Amino acid sequence: MPELPFITVLAENLRPLVEGRVIDDVLVRGASVLKTFDPPVTGLIGRRITRIERRGKLLVFRLTGGVVVVMHLRRNGRLQVLPSTKGRTAKDLAIAFAFADGTDLRMVELGPKKAASVWLFPAGREEAAEPLASLGMEPLSSQFSREALAAMLREERTQIKRFLTLQRYIVGIGNTFADEILWEARVSPQAMAAALTGDEVARLHDAITAVLGEAVASHRKEFDGSLPMREPLHLLRVHRHGKEPCPRCGTPIAVIYYEDRETYYCPTCQAGGKVYADRRRSRLLR
Ligand SMILES: [Zn+2]
């Protein structure tokens, strides 16, 4: 799923392509993509996109006439800007915003499971409604202090890997960057959030800001002004790098499979040398 670095660069690179454009038409193809009905989607016609912002993993489009469009790409949604004459009948098209200049902004969603979502709000009402209302703190904002993180951790009885991905405490981190951050912090993905020591909390806070900050910079360089379509795996150090040597100590990176999530970690740096049971495999062997 696209996470904070990917969505940050997507928003940045969308701006020159889309800000200032007037919406001429809207084509809704995905049966479940539109999550609101008031204001109606036809109400976007004739409005100009004035500003695109990122909030967590979401994109927020501000339009003239007091309308706000919120988009969540989920796992397989992507945005493209293409000439309106090309490929509008593609079956992966979820929604298209046609501009007066002959281009479309399109949300496409690959795969059978359709989860990408679009919401429309009257300006000023979006912050109090889902999906924005329950979002937590931006990890690259000045509010995200070590003390703020320590207070959040005390509130939650869950493993730290899951805590990092919840969005109600810290936004923008998913399965991929949770692994990258925990490796950087040398914290076990299975440690309980509320039981981290002061040292671990300090390392985790430093890792969250450093890993995400560096990833934004490396994603910017990687996509070089284009709209990102795939997470660049070669920029990651442990996630999706199972069995490869840990960049810090050389131990092969281990994987835990749980439901449809994979957790990658270094047994030496993060787990005191322990390789955790692979719950998926052990269930199959029984
Ligand atoms: Zn290691």
Side-chain angles (χ1 to χ4, degrees):
M1 185 185 285
E3 301 179 24
L4 184 147
F6 186 103
I7 302 290
T8 299
V9 173
L10 175 59
E12 287 175 1
N13 296 352
L14 262 180
R15 282 178 196 132
L17 300 172
V18 165
E19 279 182 359
R21 299 275 193 284
V22 175
I23 295 175
D24 232 14
D25 200 6
V26 184
L27 287 88
V28 181
R29 285 280 161 73
S32 59
V33 66
L34 207 56
K35 301 300 179 195
T36 50
F37 58 89
D38 184 25
V41 74
T42 49
L44 297 177
I45 294 168
R47 299 187 193 280
R48 186 182 302 275
I49 297 174
T50 56
R51 181 78 189 148
I52 301 172
E53 291 154 10
R54 178 195 58 76
R55 176 79 175 100
K57 299 179 195 171
L58 310 181
L59 288 167
V60 180
F61 293 71
R62 303 200 177 274
L63 278 65
T64 53
V67 181
V68 173
V69 177
V70 178
M71 288 187 188
H72 195 339
L73 301 178
R74 306 282 183 194
R75 190 184 288 254
N76 293 319
R78 296 293 182 272
L79 294 181
Q80 301 174 318
V81 176
L82 294 170
S84 54
T85 50
K86 274 170 107 181
R88 265 194 193 167
T89 53
K91 71 173 194 299
D92 54 7
L93 179 65
I95 191 166
F97 302 87
F99 300 124
D101 71 349
T103 59
D104 286 353
L105 169 64
R106 295 186 199 167
M107 180 193 272
V108 296
E109 190 173 23
L110 298 170
K113 200 179 161 211
K114 304 299 182 192
S117 303
V118 173
W119 296 260
L120 271 59
F121 297 104
R125 299 260 290 275
E126 72 280 6
E127 293 291 339
E130 292 304 332
L132 294 176
S134 60
L135 293 181
M137 203 177 273
E138 287 286 342
L140 296 180
S141 71
S142 55
Q143 298 151 285
F144 183 64
S145 63
R146 203 174 272 184
E147 294 69 32
L149 174 62
M152 292 173 192
L153 289 166
R154 282 195 294 271
E155 275 182 49
E156 195 63 37
R157 288 182 175 277
T158 190
Q159 292 181 345
I160 189 62
K161 165 87 190 255
R162 181 167 173 272
F163 169 89
L164 288 175
T165 63
L166 285 176
Q167 311 305 312
R168 68 175 176 270
Y169 295 102
I170 309 166
V171 295
I173 301 168
N175 200 40
T176 299
F177 280 92
D179 285 354
E180 297 290 297
I181 287 164
L182 290 170
W183 176 82
E184 178 67 30
R186 288 173 282 125
V187 169
S188 164
Q190 299 196 344
M192 293 304 285
L196 294 189
T197 65
D199 261 8
E200 286 172 324
V201 174
R203 292 206 304 269
L204 184 62
H205 179 265
D206 290 352
I208 290 169
T209 54
V211 167
L212 294 176
E214 284 163 20
V216 168
S218 64
H219 280 61
R220 238 176 230 146
K221 207 169 154 205
E222 177 78 13
F223 294 108
D224 190 26
S226 67
L227 301 185
M229 295 298 284
R230 303 181 61 168
E231 182 63 49
L233 294 180
H234 64 278
L235 298 179
L236 304 173
R237 283 173 289 192
V238 291
H239 188 80
R240 303 279 297 273
H241 288 277
K243 294 184 183 149
E244 293 174 29
C246 165
R248 190 189 286 124
C249 76
T251 304
I253 296 299
V255 195
I256 311 163
Y257 295 94
Y258 185 65
E259 292 169 356
D260 64 341
R261 292 286 178 102
E262 297 169 354
T263 290
Y264 295 81
Y265 67 100
C266 172
T268 302
C269 296
Q270 294 173 257
K274 211 163 119 190
V275 176
Y276 298 122
D278 175 344
R279 284 180 268 184
R280 184 182 66 171
R281 192 168 302 152
S282 49
R283 195 162 57 232
L284 291 173
L285 285 173
R286 267 205 296 271

